[in-house]
Amino acid sequence: IACPRCRAANEPASAYCFQCGLPLEGEPRSATGATQVSIPYRSLRARAIWTSVLLVLSGITIVIYLYMTVEVFDLRQRYEAGEFLAFSQLAEAEGNLNTASDFSGLAGIATAVFFLIWIYRASRNLQPLGVLGQRFSPRWAVGWWFVPITSFVRPYQVMAEIWRGSAPDVSRLTPHDWQAEIVSALLKWWWALW
């Protein structure tokens, strides 16, 4: 199947273009004409738990880092004001600040990685749920977070698509009913605060 956008040749059963990642026209069908679901559904529970735990850990490390920053700032001000401080006290506080910074950075990176893994799997799970006509492939669901300028809009659109497609109360009478689902205000607030 040739992609109508980039003209790349794709496998006949492909739902997404391997080159540009956008959905191909029409849905993959078997020889009998029935819609083909070749991707198994996988639970997001473990990924969601790990992402949540890492998010909490990131928050804790940020609070510790901020506390250490205030402590170093206070010690420097006292030292500059002429108060007698052992040099080792200031050096130890700065060392603790550097360690807290390292842990905070590692926790942030781990959180981002697990969050993106969760997004990939959530997007990929839409097809086994019977959702057809996805605008974003699972790869682009992650990839849009790294594209300058569009990363202000596309990740929200990806999350809205995942929200709509995985809503438990959406009508599944036709494979495209999910597109009419209303996105929760919670998702809009999350994106605005992001």
Side-chain angles (χ1 to χ4, degrees):
I1 297 175
C3 177
R5 293 167 196 85
C6 69
R7 304 288 181 229
N10 292 279
E11 293 293 323
S14 297
Y16 300 99
C17 176
F18 81 94
Q19 188 165 340
C20 67
L22 294 175
L24 296 172
E25 295 300 320
E27 304 300 333
R29 301 204 176 265
S30 66
T32 62
T35 301
Q36 190 178 34
V37 177
S38 59
I39 301 170
Y41 177 85
R42 286 199 188 148
S43 174
L44 292 171
R45 182 174 171 78
R47 289 170 179 87
I49 289 171
W50 275 106
T51 302
S52 299
V53 167
L54 286 169
L55 189 60
V56 169
L57 181 64
S58 288
I60 291 169
T61 60
I62 288 170
V63 168
I64 292 170
Y65 174 76
L66 292 174
Y67 174 79
M68 297 290 187
T69 301
V70 169
E71 181 183 11
V72 168
F73 184 71
D74 181 51
L75 286 172
R76 284 182 184 166
Q77 279 190 329
R78 288 171 39 200
Y79 178 75
E80 290 172 0
E83 186 176 329
F84 178 75
L85 294 172
F87 182 73
S88 62
Q89 188 179 3
L90 183 57
E92 181 182 348
E94 287 178 344
N96 290 342
L97 177 63
N98 289 338
T99 302
S101 174
D102 293 344
F103 277 118
S104 181
L106 289 174
I109 290 170
T111 303
V113 167
F114 272 82
F115 178 68
L116 293 174
I117 290 170
W118 178 87
I119 286 176
Y120 177 84
R121 177 45 62 189
S123 179
R124 193 164 176 95
N125 274 348
L126 292 181
Q127 187 181 8
L129 289 174
V131 171
L132 298 179
Q134 277 182 265
R135 184 174 176 195
F136 306 104
S137 71
R139 289 182 182 169
W140 274 110
V142 172
W144 284 119
W145 289 86
F146 300 100
V147 179
I149 309 302
T150 59
S151 63
F152 292 115
V153 177
R154 288 284 194 234
Y156 170 76
Q157 293 172 339
V158 166
M159 294 302 291
E161 181 175 80
I162 291 169
W163 185 284
R164 285 185 187 108
S166 60
D169 57 343
V170 69
S171 170
R172 304 270 183 209
L173 296 177
T174 66
H176 297 281
D177 283 349
W178 66 275
Q179 293 170 335
E181 184 71 20
I182 296 172
V183 176
S184 169
L186 180 65
L187 183 65
K188 294 173 184 176
W189 276 105
W190 168 77
W191 186 251
L193 293 173
W194 186 263

